[in-house]
Amino acid sequence: MRFLIPLLVALAASPAIANAYDRPIPQAQSATAEFWYALASLTLLFSMIAVHWLVSRR
């Protein structure tokens, strides 16, 4: 009985039981997503410039 539990654990963890890993396929970006990404990037850039301007004035 002592060897039954480790044997069952070893068999349950064997690669024969495991499923193969399916890599996710990346999806293409839509034009709307590209627009919002560009807008967010420009907003971040302008906010960083504003912070730099405010800090450099001190």
Side-chain angles (χ1 to χ4, degrees):
M1 190 68 180
R2 236 178 13 184
F3 299 109
L4 182 62
I5 292 175
L7 179 65
L8 289 175
V9 169
L11 288 175
S14 69
I17 297 174
N19 292 333
Y21 176 70
D22 293 327
R23 293 183 60 154
I25 300 170
Q27 300 296 321
Q29 292 278 1
S30 66
T32 306
E34 289 181 3
F35 167 75
W36 285 112
Y37 181 78
L39 185 65
S41 298
L42 290 174
T43 304
L44 178 65
L45 178 67
F46 289 135
S47 65
M48 295 300 275
I49 290 171
V51 167
H52 172 70
W53 180 68
L54 286 172
V55 170
S56 67
R57 286 181 46 192
R58 291 187 119 186

